[in-house]
Each structure stands twice: as C-alpha cells, then as structure tokens.
Amino acid sequence: EVQLVETGGGLIQPGGSLRVSCAASEFTVSSTYITWVRQAPGKGLEWVSVSYAGGATYYADSVKGRFTVSRDNSKNTVDVQMSGLRVEDTAVYYCARGPNYQHFMDVWGKGITVTVSS
Amino acid sequence: QSALTQPASVSGSPGQSITISCTGTNSDVGGYSYVSWYQHYSGEVPKLIIYDVNNRPSGVAHRFSGSKSGNTASLTISGLQAEDEADYYCASYTSRSTWVFGGGTKVTVL
C-alpha cells in the first residue's frame, strides 16, 4: 500500500530543536515532491515546506531560517529539522506526496504532533 | 504568503447544492489552473477531492465539482449528504513555486 508515515514528534521547550521524519512505502521519494503541512489546534491547514525531486526546497515565511528539509533517497525518507521552536509551532505535522510535474497532494501521512511548551 | 480566502462556514439541507468559494490573487489562483480541494474530517487525514481546478480523482463522488473564474475558485457539492459534513480546504500553487491553503470552510448538513 502506498503510504507515508511520520515519526519523531513530541514535547519540546521553546527555543529547542526537533527532527521529524517522513518515510515512504511502495513508492520512491526520489520520483515525487514532498510537502509538509501543519494544523495548529483549532486552526486550518498551513503549508510549511516543499521538497522537489530535483533538489529545490521552499519554505513558508513563518518557518524560513528555522526549519530545514532534507531527503535521504537511500532510506526513502524526507526529514524536517525544526530549530528555534516557538509556541506557535505547536501543531499536527503532515507530510504529503505530490506526483512530479503535478500540482496536488494525493497521499498524506497520518500526521504527528509537535508540542512546544515550557 | 497570505492564506486564500474561504467562508468560515457553509450549510445546507440534504439534497441541496452548496458552493464554497476560494479567493486568491494573480500570483496563485488566478495565475494557474492548479487549484486543489481537500476534505478533512476531524482527527483524520485530509483527502484530495478535486485537482487542477475541476478534476476528480478516481473514487471521489461525482457530486463534487470544481470551477474557477479569475482569482476565485469554487467547490460545489451537489445533492448534499450527511457524510459530506467536514472541513474543506482549497490550495493553490503559486508563482514562487510554493503552495498556499485557504483558511478552511466548515460544511454543516442541516
């Protein structure tokens, strides 16, 4: 079954760092782009980042300079390293697949919770 | 990177048709035919229901349809059913090679 699974969430203090991983099954991340989308409690979906198969990566202004996305094609994973975490980064983080040269997200992970609190 | 504008809530009776609007700018909705819509039940995973403005993925009910005029895209649910009660989000590719979501619309079936 084609799927994405996020791991690595948890409780972290403001200013701390956390790494969340997205592992793909039954397809290779090297042939797709992967987006990160988050949903803060009681809020809507917010686009966070996109990692294109060609290597380009883009970030929302709200996380630029603090989040870094990387790919490991050998492990078939895409990670997001979060640093300088803020209370407002508290959210469920989803990774989602977008087929190359297409412009939608057709497979989503179940999401993982990141809580930033002292 | 302002969010696309959606109404906070829309309601309708079973069997009725409802339309959710999604307004952006020339740099996103108006500049590309790359608007997608997602259905999201609380606690579950968002589901793609419309892509490229008006295309339905395999398995999505025909009562869901999409359109676009200028900087505004729309999702119409025809023959509203109780199971359609969920949050709906539009999303668009942008001129900066990024993405932007709408604020979401809560659909209530009366």
Coordinates of all heavy atoms in Angstrom, one line a residue, chain A residues 66-104:
Chain A
R66 N 14.4 28.6 10.2 CA 14.3 27.8 11.4 C 14.1 26.3 11.0 O 14.6 25.5 11.8 CB 13.2 28.3 12.3 CG 13.3 29.7 12.7 CD 12.2 30.1 13.7 NE 10.9 30.0 13.2 CZ 10.0 29.2 13.7 NH1 10.2 28.4 14.7 NH2 8.7 29.1 13.2
F67 N 13.5 26.1 9.9 CA 13.2 24.7 9.5 C 14.1 24.4 8.3 O 14.3 25.2 7.4 CB 11.7 24.5 9.1 CG 10.8 24.5 10.3 CD1 11.1 25.0 11.5 CD2 9.5 24.0 10.1 CE1 10.2 25.0 12.6 CE2 8.6 24.0 11.1 CZ 8.9 24.5 12.4
T68 N 14.6 23.1 8.3 CA 15.4 22.7 7.2 C 14.9 21.3 6.8 O 14.9 20.4 7.6 CB 16.9 22.6 7.5 OG1 17.3 23.9 7.9 CG2 17.7 22.2 6.3
V69 N 14.6 21.1 5.5 CA 14.1 19.8 5.0 C 15.2 19.2 4.2 O 16.0 19.8 3.4 CB 12.9 20.0 4.0 CG1 12.5 18.7 3.4 CG2 11.7 20.6 4.8
S70 N 15.4 17.9 4.4 CA 16.4 17.1 3.7 C 15.8 15.8 3.3 O 14.9 15.2 3.8 CB 17.6 16.9 4.6 OG 17.2 16.2 5.8
R71 N 16.4 15.2 2.2 CA 16.0 14.0 1.7 C 17.1 12.9 1.9 O 18.3 13.2 1.8 CB 15.7 14.1 0.2 CG 14.5 14.8 -0.2 CD 14.5 15.0 -1.7 NE 13.2 15.5 -2.2 CZ 12.3 14.8 -2.8 NH1 12.5 13.5 -3.0 NH2 11.1 15.3 -3.1
D72 N 16.7 11.7 2.1 CA 17.6 10.6 2.1 C 17.0 9.5 1.2 O 16.2 8.7 1.6 CB 17.8 10.0 3.5 CG 18.9 9.0 3.6 OD1 19.2 8.3 2.5 OD2 19.6 8.8 4.6
N73 N 17.4 9.5 -0.1 CA 16.8 8.6 -1.0 C 17.1 7.2 -0.7 O 16.4 6.3 -1.0 CB 17.3 9.0 -2.4 CG 16.7 10.3 -2.9 OD1 15.7 10.7 -2.5 ND2 17.4 10.9 -3.9
S74 N 18.3 6.9 0.0 CA 18.6 5.5 0.3 C 17.7 5.0 1.3 O 17.4 3.8 1.4 CB 20.1 5.5 0.8 OG 20.2 6.2 2.0
K75 N 17.2 5.8 2.2 CA 16.3 5.4 3.3 C 14.8 5.6 2.8 O 13.9 5.2 3.5 CB 16.5 6.1 4.6 CG 17.9 5.8 5.2 CD 18.0 6.6 6.5 CE 19.3 6.2 7.2 NZ 19.5 7.0 8.5
N76 N 14.6 6.3 1.7 CA 13.3 6.7 1.2 C 12.5 7.5 2.2 O 11.4 7.3 2.5 CB 12.5 5.4 0.9 CG 11.5 5.6 -0.3 OD1 11.7 6.5 -1.2 ND2 10.4 4.9 -0.3
T77 N 13.2 8.5 2.7 CA 12.7 9.4 3.7 C 12.9 10.9 3.4 O 13.9 11.2 2.7 CB 13.2 9.2 5.1 OG1 14.7 9.4 5.1 CG2 12.9 7.8 5.6
V78 N 12.1 11.7 4.0 CA 12.2 13.2 3.9 C 12.1 13.7 5.3 O 11.0 13.4 5.9 CB 11.2 13.8 3.0 CG1 11.4 15.4 3.0 CG2 11.4 13.3 1.5
D79 N 13.1 14.4 5.8 CA 13.0 14.9 7.2 C 12.9 16.4 7.2 O 13.3 17.1 6.3 CB 14.3 14.5 7.9 CG 14.5 13.0 8.1 OD1 13.6 12.3 7.7 OD2 15.6 12.6 8.6
V80 N 12.3 16.9 8.4 CA 12.3 18.3 8.6 C 13.0 18.5 10.0 O 12.5 18.0 11.0 CB 10.9 18.9 8.5 CG1 9.9 18.2 9.4 CG2 11.0 20.4 8.8
Q81 N 14.1 19.3 10.0 CA 14.8 19.6 11.2 C 14.2 21.0 11.6 O 14.3 22.0 10.9 CB 16.3 19.7 10.9 CG 17.1 20.2 12.1 CD 17.1 19.1 13.2 OE1 17.3 18.0 13.0 NE2 17.0 19.6 14.5
M82 N 13.6 21.0 12.8 CA 13.0 22.2 13.3 C 13.9 22.8 14.5 O 14.2 22.0 15.4 CB 11.6 21.9 13.9 CG 10.7 21.2 12.9 SD 9.1 20.7 13.8 CE 8.3 19.8 12.5
S83 N 14.2 24.0 14.4 CA 15.0 24.6 15.4 C 14.4 26.0 15.8 O 13.5 26.5 15.1 CB 16.5 24.8 14.9 OG 16.5 25.7 13.8
G84 N 14.8 26.5 16.9 CA 14.3 27.8 17.3 C 12.8 27.7 17.5 O 12.0 28.6 17.1
L85 N 12.3 26.5 18.0 CA 10.8 26.3 18.0 C 10.1 27.3 18.9 O 10.6 27.7 20.0 CB 10.6 24.9 18.5 CG 10.8 23.8 17.4 CD1 10.9 22.4 17.9 CD2 9.6 23.9 16.3
R86 N 8.9 27.7 18.5 CA 8.1 28.6 19.2 C 6.8 28.0 19.6 O 6.4 27.0 19.0 CB 7.8 29.8 18.3 CG 9.1 30.5 17.7 CD 8.7 31.4 16.6 NE 9.9 32.1 16.0 CZ 9.9 32.8 14.9 NH1 8.7 32.9 14.2 NH2 11.0 33.3 14.4
V87 N 6.1 28.6 20.6 CA 4.8 28.0 21.0 C 3.9 27.9 19.8 O 3.1 26.9 19.7 CB 4.2 28.9 22.1 CG1 2.8 28.5 22.4 CG2 5.1 28.9 23.4
E88 N 4.0 28.9 18.9 CA 3.0 28.9 17.8 C 3.4 27.8 16.7 O 2.7 27.7 15.7 CB 3.0 30.3 17.1 CG 4.3 30.8 16.7 CD 5.0 31.8 17.7 OE1 4.7 31.5 18.9 OE2 5.6 32.7 17.3
D89 N 4.4 27.1 16.9 CA 4.8 26.0 16.0 C 4.0 24.7 16.5 O 4.1 23.7 15.8 CB 6.3 25.7 16.0 CG 7.1 26.8 15.3 OD1 6.6 27.3 14.3 OD2 8.2 27.1 15.8
T90 N 3.4 24.7 17.6 CA 2.6 23.6 18.1 C 1.5 23.2 17.1 O 0.7 24.1 16.7 CB 1.9 23.9 19.4 OG1 3.0 24.1 20.4 CG2 1.0 22.8 19.9
A91 N 1.5 22.0 16.6 CA 0.6 21.6 15.5 C 0.8 20.1 15.3 O 1.7 19.5 15.7 CB 0.9 22.4 14.2
V92 N -0.2 19.6 14.5 CA 0.0 18.3 13.9 C 0.7 18.5 12.5 O 0.2 19.4 11.8 CB -1.4 17.6 13.7 CG1 -1.2 16.3 12.9 CG2 -2.1 17.3 15.0
Y93 N 1.7 17.8 12.3 CA 2.5 18.0 11.1 C 2.2 16.8 10.2 O 2.4 15.6 10.6 CB 4.0 18.1 11.4 CG 4.4 19.5 12.0 CD1 4.1 19.8 13.3 CD2 5.0 20.4 11.2 CE1 4.4 21.0 13.8 CE2 5.3 21.7 11.7 CZ 5.0 22.0 13.0 OH 5.3 23.2 13.5
Y94 N 1.8 17.1 9.0 CA 1.6 16.1 8.0 C 2.7 16.2 6.9 O 3.0 17.3 6.4 CB 0.3 16.3 7.3 CG -1.0 16.2 8.1 CD1 -1.5 17.3 8.7 CD2 -1.6 15.0 8.4 CE1 -2.7 17.3 9.4 CE2 -2.7 14.9 9.2 CZ -3.3 16.1 9.7 OH -4.4 16.0 10.4
C95 N 3.1 15.0 6.4 CA 3.8 15.1 5.1 C 2.9 14.5 4.0 O 2.0 13.7 4.3 CB 5.1 14.3 5.1 SG 5.0 12.5 5.5
A96 N 3.0 15.0 2.8 CA 2.1 14.7 1.7 C 2.9 14.6 0.4 O 3.9 15.3 0.2 CB 1.0 15.7 1.6
R97 N 2.5 13.6 -0.4 CA 3.2 13.4 -1.7 C 2.5 14.2 -2.8 O 1.3 14.3 -2.9 CB 3.1 11.9 -2.0 CG 3.8 11.5 -3.3 CD 3.5 10.1 -3.7 NE 2.3 9.9 -4.3 CZ 1.9 8.7 -4.9 NH1 2.8 7.7 -5.0 NH2 0.8 8.6 -5.5
G98 N 3.4 14.7 -3.7 CA 2.8 15.3 -4.9 C 3.5 14.7 -6.1 O 4.8 14.6 -6.1
P99 N 2.8 14.1 -7.0 CA 3.5 13.5 -8.2 C 4.3 14.5 -9.0 O 3.8 15.7 -9.1 CB 2.3 13.0 -9.0 CG 1.1 12.9 -8.1 CD 1.3 14.0 -7.1
N100 N 5.4 14.1 -9.5 CA 6.2 15.0 -10.2 C 5.5 15.7 -11.4 O 4.7 15.0 -12.1 CB 7.5 14.3 -10.8 CG 8.7 14.5 -9.9 OD1 8.6 15.2 -8.9 ND2 9.8 13.8 -10.2
Y101 N 5.7 16.9 -11.6 CA 5.0 17.7 -12.6 C 3.5 17.9 -12.5 O 2.8 18.3 -13.3 CB 5.4 17.1 -14.0 CG 6.8 16.9 -14.2 CD1 7.3 15.6 -14.3 CD2 7.7 17.9 -14.2 CE1 8.7 15.4 -14.5 CE2 9.1 17.7 -14.4 CZ 9.6 16.4 -14.5 OH 10.9 16.2 -14.6
Q102 N 3.0 17.4 -11.3 CA 1.6 17.7 -11.0 C 1.6 18.7 -9.8 O 2.6 19.0 -9.2 CB 0.9 16.3 -10.6 CG 1.0 15.3 -11.7 CD 0.3 15.6 -12.9 OE1 -0.8 16.2 -12.9 NE2 0.8 15.3 -14.1
H103 N 0.4 19.2 -9.5 CA 0.3 20.2 -8.6 C -0.8 20.0 -7.6 O -1.8 20.7 -7.4 CB 0.1 21.6 -9.3 CG 1.2 21.9 -10.2 ND1 1.3 21.4 -11.5 CD2 2.4 22.7 -10.0 CE1 2.5 21.9 -12.0 NE2 3.1 22.6 -11.1
F104 N -0.7 18.8 -6.9 CA -1.7 18.5 -5.9 C -1.0 17.4 -5.0 O 0.1 16.9 -5.3 CB -3.0 17.9 -6.5 CG -2.8 16.8 -7.4 CD1 -2.6 15.5 -7.0 CD2 -2.8 17.0 -8.8 CE1 -2.4 14.4 -7.9 CE2 -2.6 16.0 -9.7 CZ -2.4 14.7 -9.3

